Amino acid sequence: MSHHYLRFEQVGYRYPDGHEALHDVSFELTHGEKAALVGANGAGKTTLLLHADGLLLPTTGQVVVGGIPITRRTLPTIRRTVGYLFQQPDDQLFMPTVEEDVAFGPANMGLDDAEIERRVAEALASVGATELRHRAPGRLSGGEKKRVAIATVLAMEPSILVMDEPTASLDPPARRQLFELIRTFRHTMLIATHDVELIRELCTRTLVLHRGTLVADGPTQEVLAAGEIG
Ligand SMILES: Nc1ncnc2c1ncn2[C@@H]1O[C@H](COP(=O)(O)OP(=O)(O)OP(=O)(O)O)[C@@H](O)[C@H]1O
Ligand SMILES: [Mg+2]
């Protein structure tokens, strides 16, 4: 299905203060590919991911999702296709209760109450957060927040999933549960991570960023063997 592909075409991005965070980045992920995005702190991983959902628009080049170039005009369509997990859960959670946060996206899509309920229940169960349903997101622990943030993204049932450090702050059982979830997710994924096990076990392809430039892109085994990461 063509709407599952994600293509960066010579993307450059300069922050308003003049810092060039991405330089001439090109790659394409096709249907069902699970790719890791790695690189040192400050390499530009988050900046790159923000471009995959139109949260930042390129200074030069363009990003295309399933044949649709990301522009201000196409953003509503793009947001339905691409699910984005923020590095900081606090950027994702803003409603008074967990269930309202998870229901927010589906409700915005105009789904009926029964479908919203199905999605909320399923998404919370899949991250082991059912018992957090009536809690206030602001009062959860870091790992609990992370699980709920993942649930808000899953409830949208996106075709492409973009995740920024998804395993950070998860305890070992929650991390394992996320691994299994990622394993069963059939769609396209781009995951920024420092978690070498996650990369080895689940990502068939690895992209390496160094100071805003893509310096390696290939099968994970080869990229690992070349000593590009851990
Ligand atoms: N709002 C901003 N204004 C100016 N520069 C920024 C801004 N946000 C990030 N940067 C800079 O852009 C570069 C890339 O940052 P980014 O957050 O994309 O890195 P990262 O690879 O995600 O790092 P980490 O592993 O720490 O999450 C860094 O040098 C950072 O200081
Ligand atoms: Mg980051």
Side-chain angles (χ1 to χ4, degrees), residues 93-113:
L93 307 172
F94 50 89
M95 297 295 278
T97 66
V98 164
E99 69 176 352
E100 287 169 278
D101 254 326
V102 182
F104 185 83
N108 254 0
M109 290 163 80
L111 300 173
D112 64 44
D113 288 351

Side-chain angles (χ1 to χ4, degrees), residues 46-111:
T46 296
T47 306
L48 187 157
L49 294 187
L50 290 168
H51 281 79
D53 197 24
L55 292 159
L56 288 177
L57 296 172
T59 310
T60 55
Q62 68 171 355
V63 180
V64 183
V65 175
I68 303 171
I70 304 184
T71 63
R72 277 179 221 293
R73 215 165 42 80
T74 61
L75 276 184
T77 310
I78 299 299
R79 294 277 158 78
R80 276 194 295 276
T81 308
V82 182
Y84 192 95
L85 180 74
F86 286 90
Q87 187 163 6
Q88 309 294 344
D90 286 333
D91 290 336
Q92 202 120 29
L93 307 172
F94 50 89
M95 297 295 278
T97 66
V98 164
E99 69 176 352
E100 287 169 278
D101 254 326
V102 182
F104 185 83
N108 254 0
M109 290 163 80
L111 300 173

Side-chain angles (χ1 to χ4, degrees), residues 15 17 19 21 40-47 87 194:
Y15 278 104
D17 70 357
H19 180 81
N41 293 137
K45 302 180 298 298
T46 296
T47 306
Q87 187 163 6
H194 299 287

Side-chain angles (χ1 to χ4, degrees), residues 20-189:
E20 189 189 30
L22 293 179
H23 179 75
D24 198 23
V25 172
S26 298
F27 66 91
E28 178 170 334
L29 297 185
T30 57
H31 180 71
E33 261 189 307
K34 292 187 176 106
L37 177 63
V38 304
N41 293 137
K45 302 180 298 298
T46 296
T47 306
L48 187 157
L49 294 187
L50 290 168
H51 281 79
D53 197 24
L55 292 159
L56 288 177
L57 296 172
T59 310
T60 55
Q62 68 171 355
V63 180
V64 183
V65 175
I68 303 171
I70 304 184
T71 63
R72 277 179 221 293
R73 215 165 42 80
T74 61
L75 276 184
T77 310
I78 299 299
R79 294 277 158 78
R80 276 194 295 276
T81 308
V82 182
Y84 192 95
L85 180 74
F86 286 90
Q87 187 163 6
Q88 309 294 344
D90 286 333
D91 290 336
Q92 202 120 29
L93 307 172
F94 50 89
M95 297 295 278
T97 66
V98 164
E99 69 176 352
E100 287 169 278
D101 254 326
V102 182
F104 185 83
N108 254 0
M109 290 163 80
L111 300 173
D112 64 44
D113 288 351
E115 176 64 9
I116 294 172
E117 170 52 31
R118 181 188 73 76
R119 292 200 183 193
V120 170
E122 250 179 44
L124 286 173
S126 68
V127 294
T130 304
E131 74 283 5
L132 303 176
R133 183 168 176 145
H134 302 291
R135 301 275 302 278
R139 304 224 177 95
L140 300 176
S141 76
E144 289 170 339
K145 279 185 192 173
K146 195 82 186 187
R147 294 196 226 179
V148 172
I150 294 166
T152 67
V153 177
L154 295 177
M156 300 287 288
E157 300 189 352
S159 304
I160 298 174
L161 200 47
V162 172
M163 303 205 284
D164 201 350
E165 307 277 0
T167 55
S169 77
L170 293 182
D171 61 25
R175 178 166 166 271
R176 266 292 134 197
Q177 194 169 11
L178 182 63
F179 271 39
E180 294 318 311
L181 202 67
I182 292 174
R183 213 187 295 285
T184 57
F185 194 82
R186 278 172 282 109
H187 302 320
T188 310
M189 270 194 185

